[in-house]
Structures are given as structure tokens and as C-alpha cells.
Amino acid sequence: MQNIHRLSFAFLCLFAANCIVLHAQPRQQTIKADTARNLKKFRVLGFPVVSYSPETRIGFGAAGIAIFRLGNDPLHTSPSQVSMGLGYTQNKQQLYYSSFQLYTNRNMFNIYGEAGYYKYPYYYYGIGTNVVPRELYTATYPRLRVSVLYKWAPHYYAGLRYNYENYRMDSTLPGGELSKGIIAGSMGSVSSGAGVVQILDKRDSTIYPTKGYWMELALFFNTRSMGSTYNYQQYSYDVTCYKRVYKKVVWASELFAKYLAGTVPFDQLAFLGGARKLRGVYEGKYRDKHSLMVQTEFRTELYKRFGAAVFGGVGFLGGDNDKYVRLGNPYWAYGAGLRFKVNKNDHLNLRLDYALNNGKGNFYATFGEAF
């Protein structure tokens, strides 16, 4: 899974209220974006986490994010971000994670990824057209993902990526498909591989773009020689476009395609859903060898630090017996959300979204835009 489990609505309210308190102190100095001194400031946000869900019961922990600029030329260096968090629940579930996006001086290197340890329950609904009744399973896994890209030309980055994940199945539903051990990865698996990544980045901002585009092409290989349980390959293409259509209204769109070949463990299959890829769909509910997704969003500033967004999207899946994806079987999702600007200088938003799929809704809370 790409993201931590969704939090309850009660936590979302606490999360938003806490950020408002942090940024409403009367002694806070107004940030001026046109000074190098202000751009180099190291800014940190921290907050407690309290949540509840049927799978976890009461959960608690802490999280934080730091924003800063590296090097001695902040006027021509994008802001770097590092976020960290930990959590524990009444069901003895544990979450320790950190994600990072680093830009060295004048953006010559772009280094990003995540490191974490997770023990969490998920739902399995089958693969492709083989839909099964919902199965609850629990997995424990450490994860490491690192990409190191060099700026070879204006706006063009290319480099290497490494992924590692040791997926251990702690429990499955007795009599369910996963418990039979016939699905690749259902008894646990290690994914370890490396590949080449190319990025063309012509956005006017890395945190809140209002114009331009971003494109990523990745070719990735998991092999037994690198410690992977299975040999499989992954090819993906991701492009996002941004345009200011009216004063403070920004139109953002994304096209994402993924193709997998070889024996792929079920937890690494292409999937739809989550906080970034087709919000409203339970993350991993729909999965198969190949995916194609298009989503679009209109964002606007409303009043002072507050903003809003409306969004929608459609996704498709395909397997070994399909030419690519099944265009006659679309998965739709749509919704709306609120934004709270926690950092005026870089326009970093706290994102609170509510999205629907097949009449069922889900809440999301995170920093930064979905795409």
C-alpha cells in the first residue's frame, strides 16, 4: 500500500484545529517571499494524532513536517520537505514512517523517497475480474524507497531508484483466497529492485503549482539476484498539467499508466484508490497487472488561509489476457475538499477531502495536493 490507513473524521477536525492554533499566534512574524533570508528559514510543524476506526479502535501518536531550503542560493532552490510520524493503536498496530523530498543547491540533485515500518490490517477484494468477498488480513513490513536524480538539462532530471519491501503476512481470513496460498505473495514476499527514472519538470512550484507540467517515466526491475522473491518488471508513466483559469482558480489534471510483467506479488500489483490516486476508492480494492487513470481537479483560494477544491476521476485495470486495460469497465470517483494554508511562503496546504465511489464515501487528511 502507498499510504497509511485513512483517519477518522474526528481526527481530521483535531488535525485542522491544531494547525490553526499553531499558525494563529499573535507574535508570528509576517513572511515576506521576496527576501532570501525568509526563504532560508527552517519551519517545523508538529501535532498530536488521535483517531478511531473499527480496525484499530483508538489510535494515538505524533507527526510533524519540516520545510527548508538547502544550499546558498535560496532564490533558485526549491523548498525541501521532511515529514515524520509514529502511531500506536489499541489493537497493538504500529506505524513508524518518514518521507522526504530534497533539492540541493540550485536544484542540481532531487532526492526523494520514504522509510517506514508498518503493521496494519488491510482488505483484499480479489484481483482483476476475480472479485471475492472482502477478506481482512494483517501484514507487517519495513519499506525503503529512494530516488536520486541529477539535473542534466534545464527542467530535465534522470537517475536511479531503489525499492525494498519485506511483506510478511501475519494473519488471513480462514477459508479466504489469501489463506489458500495460491496467490503470489499471499504467504509473504520480498520485493527488491532498482531502475531508471526520468523527470521533466516545468512547474512554477513544487508544492502548489499554478502553471506548467510534470512528467515521469520509470522502468523498474525486481530480481532474485537483488533479494526479491519473484522476478518482475514495472513500467510507469505519470504526467500532470496545471493552468490558472481565473484569478485564484487553478485547473490540475493527471494521467497515470502502469504496466507490470512477470510474477507479481498481490501487494505490488497496479491498483486504484488511496489519498492520491482516485480518492474515494479504498486503496487496493481494485488491482491487476495494468492500470490507467485520469483525474482532474479545480482548486481555489477562498478567504485568507482557506481554500477549496472539487475533483473527479476514472480508472481502468487490465490483466495478462487483456490487450492493455478493460476500457468497458471504468471505476469512477469524485468529491470535494477544504484547504488550510499552513505555510504562506510556500503555499503548503493541509488537505481535507471527502470523496465518493459507488455511493460510498471516504475522508482523507494529509499535507500537500494529491497531484
Side-chain angles (χ1 to χ4, degrees):
M1 296 297 176
Q2 301 295 317
N3 302 293
I4 296 173
H5 239 49
R6 295 183 298 277
L7 306 180
S8 67
F9 181 64
F11 163 57
L12 306 188
C13 295
L14 173 63
F15 191 13
N18 188 272
C19 288
I20 292 172
V21 170
L22 285 171
H23 289 272
Q25 301 298 328
R27 290 177 292 180
Q28 180 177 338
Q29 183 179 2
T30 301
I31 297 174
K32 297 180 180 179
D34 59 348
T35 66
R37 182 179 177 181
N38 275 281
L39 288 173
K40 289 199 70 173
K41 283 184 177 179
F42 189 91
R43 301 178 180 88
V44 179
L45 300 174
F47 42 87
V49 174
V50 178
S51 64
Y52 179 87
S53 73
E55 295 82 11
T56 66
R57 294 190 289 169
I58 297 176
F60 52 90
I65 184 171
I67 302 176
F68 51 93
R69 279 178 167 84
L70 297 172
N72 54 16
D73 189 359
L75 292 173
H76 299 94
T77 302
S78 297
S80 296
Q81 304 175 60
V82 176
S83 61
M84 300 183 68
L86 57 88
Y88 190 80
T89 74
Q90 281 186 296
N91 288 348
K92 299 182 180 181
Q93 297 153 326
Q94 303 171 50
L95 307 97
Y96 309 93
Y97 58 93
S98 175
S99 63
F100 52 93
Q101 174 82 259
L102 307 176
Y103 290 90
T104 63
N105 194 53
R106 300 183 68 88
N107 297 344
M108 291 308 297
F109 278 94
N110 181 6
I111 305 168
Y112 59 94
E114 64 171 293
Y117 176 88
Y118 307 91
K119 181 176 182 179
Y120 225 88
Y122 294 108
Y123 285 117
Y124 172 78
Y125 295 84
I127 298 173
T129 58
N130 177 36
V131 179
V132 301
R134 187 175 70 175
E135 298 180 17
L136 181 65
Y137 71 94
T138 301
T140 301
Y141 54 98
R143 171 190 288 165
L144 175 64
R145 294 177 175 175
V146 180
S147 298
V148 180
L149 278 61
Y150 181 75
K151 187 177 182 179
W152 296 92
H155 311 294
Y156 173 71
Y157 291 84
L160 302 176
R161 173 176 294 169
Y162 175 75
N163 285 356
Y164 173 84
E165 189 171 296
N166 189 344
Y167 209 77
R168 188 182 72 196
M169 300 290 285
D170 294 328
S171 66
T172 57
L173 180 68
E177 188 171 76
L178 292 178
S179 67
K180 298 175 182 178
I182 59 176
I183 302 297
S186 60
M187 303 300 290
S189 66
V190 175
S191 292
S192 179
V196 179
V197 181
Q198 299 180 76
I199 290 179
L200 183 61
D201 189 353
K202 298 199 72 173
R203 298 170 294 175
D204 61 342
S205 168
T206 59
I207 295 180
Y208 189 84
T210 61
K211 63 179 181 180
Y213 60 89
W214 178 91
M215 301 171 61
E216 180 190 84
L217 177 64
L219 293 83
F220 201 79
F221 302 91
N222 291 271
T223 64
R224 290 191 176 92
S225 62
M226 297 188 69
S228 186
T229 305
Y230 303 100
N231 288 320
Y232 65 97
Q233 302 81 47
Q234 172 183 316
Y235 313 90
S236 63
Y237 176 70
D238 196 355
V239 56
T240 54
C241 301
Y242 309 90
K243 182 177 179 61
R244 188 183 296 276
V245 293
Y246 179 77
K247 293 183 178 179
K248 296 183 178 181
V249 179
V250 176
W251 180 20
S253 297
E254 179 183 25
L255 168 68
F256 178 78
K258 189 172 186 178
Y259 180 90
L260 291 161
T263 303
V264 186
F266 81 98
D267 57 285
Q268 298 295 319
L269 288 169
F271 64 86
L272 304 174
R276 296 185 179 274
K277 304 295 186 188
L278 213 60
R279 285 157 288 175
V281 176
Y282 179 89
E283 185 174 328
K285 181 176 182 178
Y286 308 119
R287 66 180 78 201
D288 210 331
K289 279 287 192 72
H290 324 307
S291 68
L292 175 65
M293 181 212 65
V294 179
Q295 58 182 345
T296 192
E297 177 171 303
F298 286 92
R299 306 164 180 165
T300 184
E301 297 180 55
L302 295 177
Y303 178 72
K304 293 186 177 180
R305 290 179 179 265
F306 292 92
V310 293
F311 53 87
V314 61
F316 307 88
L317 293 175
D320 288 332
N321 296 325
D322 302 299
K323 188 174 182 180
Y324 178 51
V325 295
R326 299 178 289 272
L327 295 176
N329 187 19
Y331 303 96
W332 297 91
Y334 56 91
L338 295 175
R339 304 290 183 266
F340 179 76
K341 194 187 305 181
V342 297
N343 186 308
K344 285 185 177 181
N345 198 48
D346 296 309
H347 204 139
L348 175 65
N349 282 334
L350 165 64
R351 175 164 58 91
L352 306 175
D353 287 332
Y354 182 73
L356 294 159
N357 166 250
N358 290 334
K360 297 181 179 180
N362 290 301
F363 285 100
Y364 303 88
T366 187
F367 284 109
E369 303 308 316
F371 56 92

